[in-house]
Amino acid sequence: MSPQASSGGAAAAGGMDFQHRVAAWVAVHVLAEKAATPPWDLPADTTLERLQCETGQPVDDLLVESSGGGRIFAQIKKSLQLSSTPCSDLASALDQFVRQFIDCRNKSGGSSSTGRPLDPARDRLVLITSSVSSKTIRVHLLNALCRVRNLTPEQALKKAATNNDERKALSKVQQHIHKSWQALLNREPSDEELHQLLSLIRVHELDVNAEGAGEREAMNLLRFAVLRDPDQAGRAWATLATLCA
């Protein structure tokens, strides 16, 4: 095996391990119920109820269902860079978000779990990544998306970016969304549709590697809110990661 192939295999394995740990982190929040602070800007009284890994949805890495019928569709990318390349991980994640948004809208009125349009009050499209991703993704894109949600209908999306890094991040994201939308529906999204989609997206930096902040949070929830024997937290965390794998 060539060094390059070995490196690629190790990176893929590391990405899958990250995905399993993210799913385990969510599982801990499900088990902790009201003791866990709801993530992804969900309402304060929200609890996570169940999760599915590797679903058949357009956003297929993770589906989390919350109290009140909320749905969180997550793409998990350990390392992510801001790229305009159509085959990049960022383009792939955004394409899945576009397809999920349109799929849910098209199934409006159906009896399935996706039988209604995504609701920004309780639903989310989450891009979960780690601290090894670029600052443009973790900070600048995150900040711009936060401001998108506070725009009035009359304000242009460009108002959400307040510096060059944010403008660059938001512009590339919009470019990818426009390409995917065009490929799916043979037309560009309207400003209203683009605003609706971007308002659903969250960027979540989650370090669930050994001794990472996310792992420590999960272990503390296991100790103080889930387990009868707090000394079993390490074993419980390892078991959950294995089950999610």
Side-chain angles (χ1 to χ4, degrees):
M1 182 182 296
S2 70
Q4 184 176 4
S6 177
S7 175
M16 288 306 298
D17 182 62
F18 177 69
Q19 185 170 329
H20 302 152
R21 285 170 169 263
V22 168
W25 181 89
V26 172
V28 171
H29 281 65
V30 172
L31 294 170
E33 300 178 325
K34 291 184 180 298
T37 301
W40 312 311
D41 303 315
L42 291 169
D45 60 347
T46 302
T47 56
L48 305 187
E49 302 288 334
R50 61 185 60 83
L51 72 151
Q52 298 177 45
C53 301
E54 300 297 338
T55 72
Q57 299 290 333
V59 178
D60 58 355
D61 281 349
L62 188 66
L63 169 59
V64 185
E65 296 179 49
S66 68
S67 57
R71 299 161 299 167
I72 298 91
F73 299 93
Q75 259 293 291
I76 304 170
K77 303 288 186 184
K78 183 178 182 180
S79 179
L80 201 60
Q81 308 299 317
L82 186 70
S83 172
S84 57
T85 306
C87 60
S88 66
D89 284 343
L90 178 63
S92 173
L94 292 168
D95 179 68
Q96 290 193 27
F97 287 169
V98 169
R99 288 189 286 118
Q100 190 70 62
F101 179 85
I102 293 172
D103 184 69
C104 289
R105 190 178 64 180
N106 288 347
K107 290 180 178 177
S108 178
S111 59
S112 71
S113 63
T114 57
R116 61 171 176 79
L118 294 176
D119 178 0
R122 54 179 168 157
D123 301 326
R124 300 288 184 268
L125 298 168
V126 185
L127 186 55
I128 301 178
T129 191
S130 75
S131 59
V132 302
S133 289
S134 71
K135 184 177 180 180
T136 312
I137 297 290
R138 296 181 292 105
V139 178
H140 304 306
L141 177 58
L142 182 150
N143 289 339
L145 289 173
C146 284
R147 293 194 199 92
V148 165
R149 299 191 287 274
N150 294 321
L151 294 176
T152 65
E154 295 78 22
Q155 290 179 299
L157 283 171
K158 64 181 181 181
K159 294 287 187 180
T162 60
N163 59 52
N164 287 334
D165 288 319
E166 291 176 2
R167 281 188 282 272
K168 181 179 178 182
L170 194 58
S171 174
K172 288 189 183 299
V173 164
Q174 290 184 72
Q175 288 172 19
H176 287 306
I177 290 173
H178 276 265
K179 288 178 182 178
S180 294
W181 203 287
Q182 180 72 41
L184 283 165
L185 300 181
N186 199 31
R187 67 171 177 85
E188 294 282 306
S190 68
D191 289 344
E192 181 182 2
E193 288 170 327
L194 190 56
H195 185 274
Q196 290 173 347
L197 175 56
L198 290 173
S199 295
L200 289 160
I201 298 175
R202 302 294 189 275
V203 176
H204 185 187
E205 179 185 341
L206 183 61
D207 280 324
V208 285
N209 55 298
E211 303 300 323
E215 185 188 67
R216 292 197 301 272
E217 177 194 6
M219 295 276 278
N220 284 333
L221 281 172
L222 287 168
R223 290 188 185 99
F224 301 116
V226 177
L227 298 173
R228 183 173 292 133
D229 181 1
D231 292 337
Q232 296 298 312
R235 179 177 294 182
W237 170 248
T239 299
L240 286 170
T242 300
L243 287 171
C244 291

